[in-house]
Amino acid sequence: MIATKHFNVLIIGAGPAGIGAAIALSKRGIKSIAIIERNDKLGGIPSFYKKKKGGIRTFVRWSRGGIPVFGEDYAKWLEKQLVKTKVQIELQSQVCNIDAKKKILTLVNNEKREVNYSADAIIMACGSREETPAERGWLAGSRPVRVLFTKQLLRLLDGNHLLPMNNPLIIGSDIIGYAVAAKLKAAGASDAIIVDNCSKPKCGFFERLYFRMWSNPNYKGLSAKSIEVIGNKTVTGVMFNGENITCDGIVVCGVLIPNSELALNGNIKVELHSRQLVVVKDYQLSESGWFATGNMLGGFHGAEWCYFNGRRVARTVTNYLSNKPMNLEFKNEKR
Ligand SMILES: Cc1cc2nc3c(=O)[nH]c(=O)nc-3n(C[C@H](O)[C@H](O)[C@H](O)COP(=O)(O)OP(=O)(O)OC[C@H]3O[C@@H](n4cnc5c(N)ncnc54)[C@H](O)[C@@H]3O)c2cc1C
């Protein structure tokens, strides 16, 4: 691979984490930075949560006293900060391959041309995605109409203004499950039943309290091994630990897993079971000069957490570039 362009830092992914890193690196005086994004807009996941009248704001600005905002507005705020810098923005460009040793990325750019970029340091900020129900292995039975994944439901609700169910059952009790219950109720459905294989909901108390403004779902938690879908053409219910629960639609909230395939293909160490990147120390990956930030690090984190995490990684990367010893203490860093 021969690189066509060289940068100080390349960032893969322009979600909150990648943008946070780009802004902080720029403020720290790093001259040539490029951020590469496969979508045609900046902001990552929040950019897909459209602002609409009567809609629910699910992105919390903790740094502004905990104000909830629409994802689209949060993405626009990120964009506004980023365009003030001299960071090179490459939209509609997908990184398809990496050479971890030489620190070279192969990307297909917006002209459908394959180009190679190299850098002194590379930050992976590719985010995470919902694991499919099949991968999750918790859903048994047939798959009739109206068993939807969160993304499909949001596309119907927000994109097409369609309400596909009136008595919903939601599988998965983390924040996404409660946000979905609120969105369904706001769109005209009844209060959802949420089921999960743990006695208490995974969603935190304050988040549940916030979503109570729209809906008060009924939680059923058991350490059941599986949940069986009932219904021939359309869903009529589920069998959960011997109990027959009726519903006319199911939303399956997957577990978030990091988008770590690129790293895996490039021989950067990844834990195969969880698909989490192996962090050697302080956001550094197993190959020298490679770093990760945001939801790529695993777990479930809100957008604002990812943005500040990106800023913290920028400090580690700056230290790496100037060959300073790594500083593990971030507590005093100014936001
Ligand atoms: C379905 C879902 C719903 C969520 N809902 C909420 C919510 O309501 N509120 C909340 O606070 N948080 C929510 N989250 C969490 C959300 O992911 C974080 O808030 C935040 O967006 C994560 O930031 P990030 O920058 O790490 O990743 P992302 O926002 O996912 O951004 C990663 C970016 O990298 C790009 N990318 C990935 N691979 C490549 C590649 N090879 N080449 C080029 N570009 C690439 C992607 O296109 C994407 O734009 C949700 C997450 C999911 C998956």
Side-chain angles (χ1 to χ4, degrees), residues 12-19 36-39 41 43-46 48-49 58-60 93-96 125-130 150-151 154 175-176 179 256 259 262 293-296 300-304 306-307:
I12 313 173
I19 293 181
I36 302 156
E37 171 55 53
R38 63 185 170 196
N39 286 319
K41 55 186 171 185
I45 297 260
F48 293 97
Y49 283 72
T58 55
F59 289 82
V60 181
S93 302
Q94 164 128 16
V95 179
C96 308
C126 306
S128 58
R129 65 171 189 279
E130 278 182 293
T150 324
K151 259 195 176 169
L154 293 179
I175 191 168
I176 296 184
L256 294 192
N259 291 325
L262 209 54
T293 178
N295 271 356
M296 263 213 104
F300 183 90
H301 303 290
E304 188 109 310
C306 293
Y307 171 74

Side-chain angles (χ1 to χ4, degrees), residues 5-239:
K5 261 188 187 175
H6 184 81
F7 296 86
N8 288 140
V9 184
L10 280 168
I11 302 165
I12 313 173
I19 293 181
I23 293 168
L25 282 164
S26 173
K27 282 188 179 160
R28 284 172 173 272
I30 305 294
K31 289 280 176 291
S32 75
I33 308 161
I35 188 163
I36 302 156
E37 171 55 53
R38 63 185 170 196
N39 286 319
D40 59 358
K41 55 186 171 185
L42 295 165
I45 297 260
S47 67
F48 293 97
Y49 283 72
K50 295 259 177 282
K51 181 179 181 168
K52 66 171 185 185
K53 213 175 158 207
I56 300 174
R57 299 154 202 255
T58 55
F59 289 82
V60 181
R61 304 283 324 259
W62 297 108
S63 59
R64 300 274 159 92
I67 305 170
V69 296
F70 288 107
E72 195 177 25
D73 282 342
Y74 190 63
K76 278 194 185 136
W77 177 80
L78 290 172
E79 181 176 350
K80 216 168 141 190
Q81 307 306 309
L82 183 67
V83 296
K84 283 184 200 158
T85 67
K86 290 193 175 138
V87 171
Q88 184 173 322
I89 303 165
E90 306 248 346
L91 291 176
Q92 290 178 290
S93 302
Q94 164 128 16
V95 179
C96 308
N97 202 4
I98 62 172
D99 184 328
K101 292 263 178 283
K102 292 183 183 158
K103 295 201 257 320
I104 297 179
L105 306 182
T106 302
L107 54 127
V108 177
N109 67 12
N110 57 359
E111 291 161 357
K112 306 262 179 296
R113 278 183 42 221
E114 201 176 280
V115 290
N116 293 328
Y117 288 174
S118 64
D120 302 318
I122 296 172
I123 303 177
M124 303 192 94
C126 306
S128 58
R129 65 171 189 279
E130 278 182 293
E131 202 173 33
T132 67
E135 278 177 296
R136 200 176 171 199
W138 200 54
L139 198 63
S142 57
R143 193 66 56 80
V145 176
R146 295 204 197 116
V147 177
L148 301 173
F149 218 14
T150 324
K151 259 195 176 169
Q152 295 167 315
L153 173 80
L154 293 179
R155 212 170 291 145
L156 289 174
L157 282 181
D158 292 345
N160 301 350
H161 307 288
L162 287 172
L163 177 63
M165 56 191 82
N166 291 311
N167 299 307
L169 182 131
I170 296 166
I171 301 176
S173 65
D174 60 29
I175 191 168
I176 296 184
Y178 278 81
V180 165
K183 286 191 177 222
L184 280 166
K185 183 83 187 277
S190 58
D191 274 322
I193 296 171
I194 298 186
V195 295
D196 208 339
N197 55 357
C198 44
S199 59
K200 275 190 193 160
K202 288 177 189 149
C203 180
F205 175 75
F206 290 110
E207 285 90 349
R208 274 185 281 145
L209 205 60
Y210 172 66
F211 288 121
R212 277 262 184 99
M213 287 199 280
W214 294 274
S215 84
N216 190 8
N218 177 5
Y219 181 65
K220 286 180 187 283
L222 288 167
S223 60
K225 288 239 167 7
S226 71
I227 183 160
E228 194 181 335
V229 177
I230 307 166
N232 290 326
K233 285 189 180 154
T234 56
V235 176
T236 55
V238 293
M239 187 60 80

